[in-house]
Amino acid sequence: MLFRILKKDDLIKLYALLAEGNRVVGPVKKGGDKDGKAIYSFEEIAAFSDLHLSHTSTKISAKKFFMPFRETMASFRMQGKDWDKKIGFNISSPLVFFGMHACDINALNKLDKVLLGSHYPMPYYAAKRKNMFIVGIDCEPQPYCFCRSMGADTALHGFDLFLTDLGDHYFVEILSDTAYNFMKQLTAKEPAEDDHARYMKVALEKNRKFSAHVDNTDLTKILDMEFQSEVWKKWGDQCMSCGTCANVCPTCYCYGVEESVELDLTRAQKTKFLYSCNLIDFAEVAGGHNFRPESHTRLKYRYYHKHRGFVEAYEESLCVGCGRCGEACLAGITVPEVIASVRGQDN
């Protein structure tokens, strides 16, 4: 990894280089909540001025650009006794993500393990993931963020450039050859000792601002021991099984596939759509049997997948601690509270 110092006034030049011939996605302000706080969203932008790089976390992650809610996998057309099949990976040009926080970059790294590195890689995800350029940016911890507990408050890989605000300059981490070639076209200097000191001071100040925490010590063992705990019933009674948590989560990737055929049998289509393990029919199988008919069972298995099963498979949690699920939950259920109650620390 290489480090450079870039003047803030030169960031627009970096944007111009990246935007030339590429689509750019970044955080934009979409409105305000009932308390007057800004609501941000990842959207495709047309100008540098559209970017809000000092954004808090977006309400919904950026996954709609690489894992859209509904996506056509294949279409079929009959012509006489012949038929043809069309498969597209639904990407027309590279995407530049400008202003992604470390938690969302780490979410992509976790998805890569499942959707790129498993025995059955997902080509629709791979086509988009391989055509990304990511400019990460440091963030201000929010009251609901517990990414530091999940080891996702900093990103070590999965990006091309990463920016940390040092006041009048950015501390730039360069991770890819492509990023290095872009940076060569700008006036950037190597960091001096005082730049290193400012970077470490900024990092220390950020770490002090985290107020939400999750105790992960021996969590997989505790989850095994508390599988039959009454706390799951308590949270299940509170859960509305709406699936909002999965919708806003940057790492939820469960999906269903549906096939539709025209009545005249000349056309057909196979479509993939994201799904949530909290929805009542998630575990329903042919014949109508439902393996998880109760709300508390579905909620419990959601937590076991994130904090138990994924750890067993990949030695890390699937949760990045962005806190979006707790912020969006209509019933006010948050990960730190649920984990604390399982540990018997909810007094």
Side-chain angles (χ1 to χ4, degrees), residues 121-318:
M122 170 62 74
Y124 301 90
Y125 173 82
K128 301 174 187 66
R129 183 69 170 110
K130 298 295 184 183
N131 280 285
M132 284 184 192
F133 185 97
I134 296 178
V135 180
I137 193 162
D138 210 15
C139 61
E140 182 86 5
Q142 300 301 304
Y144 48 82
C145 298
F146 55 96
C147 55
R148 185 161 175 76
S149 298
M150 309 311 294
D153 56 319
T154 60
L156 299 178
H157 62 99
F159 60 88
D160 297 274
L161 292 169
F162 199 94
L163 311 174
T164 299
D165 191 339
L166 297 185
D168 53 349
H169 293 77
Y170 284 112
F171 188 93
V172 184
E173 299 168 55
I174 305 171
L175 200 60
S176 70
D177 294 343
T178 307
Y180 177 72
N181 287 325
F182 277 120
M183 287 299 296
K184 280 200 306 184
Q185 301 176 56
L186 301 172
T187 303
K189 65 175 185 176
E190 292 196 16
E193 285 298 320
D194 62 328
D195 295 316
H196 291 170
R198 289 168 66 192
Y199 175 87
M200 289 188 282
K201 183 179 179 182
V202 168
L204 183 62
E205 289 173 353
K206 174 186 170 182
N207 293 341
R208 288 172 175 162
K209 294 178 181 176
F210 283 102
S211 56
H213 304 281
V214 167
D215 184 357
N216 286 297
T217 310
D218 287 334
L219 183 57
T220 56
K221 298 177 187 175
I222 291 171
L223 287 171
D224 279 348
M225 290 187 286
E226 299 299 323
F227 189 77
Q228 302 294 346
S229 171
E230 285 297 313
V231 299
W232 298 116
K233 182 71 167 54
K234 167 195 158 187
W235 291 112
D237 288 344
Q238 193 169 324
C239 176
M240 301 173 73
S241 299
C242 62
T244 300
C245 48
N247 189 36
V248 301
C249 176
T251 62
C252 277
Y253 57 85
C254 289
Y255 64 89
V257 175
E258 62 183 17
E259 295 170 332
S260 57
V261 181
E262 294 290 333
L263 288 176
D264 60 5
L265 305 180
T266 59
R267 295 174 186 274
Q269 186 166 286
K270 183 178 287 187
T271 306
K272 176 170 75 71
F273 58 94
L274 294 183
Y275 218 66
S276 167
C277 56
N278 272 351
L279 297 180
I280 192 169
D281 60 348
F282 179 80
E284 188 172 294
V285 296
H289 179 71
N290 193 336
F291 286 92
R292 300 176 194 167
E294 304 95 357
S295 175
H296 72 272
T297 308
R298 295 192 296 276
L299 182 142
K300 177 169 69 175
Y301 273 96
R302 173 178 170 78
Y303 275 80
Y304 273 71
H305 180 215
K306 296 278 188 186
H307 301 276
R308 173 68 181 87
F310 203 84
V311 176
E312 186 175 60
Y314 299 105
E315 298 185 346
E316 60 183 80
S317 171
L318 182 57

Side-chain angles (χ1 to χ4, degrees), residues 5-17 48 98 163 168-170 172 182-183 185-189:
I5 296 295
L6 180 70
K7 291 181 181 176
K8 276 194 170 176
D9 292 341
D10 288 342
L11 192 62
I12 191 171
K13 298 177 182 175
L14 174 63
Y15 172 86
L17 289 171
F48 180 75
F98 205 111
L163 311 174
D168 53 349
H169 293 77
Y170 284 112
V172 184
F182 277 120
M183 287 299 296
Q185 301 176 56
L186 301 172
T187 303
K189 65 175 185 176

Side-chain angles (χ1 to χ4, degrees), residues 9 25 35 40 43 52 65 88 92 105 111 255 263 269 317:
D9 292 341
V25 171
D35 299 319
Y40 299 99
E43 302 292 345
H52 281 72
F65 291 98
S92 57
I105 294 171
L111 290 175
Y255 64 89
L263 288 176
Q269 186 166 286
S317 171

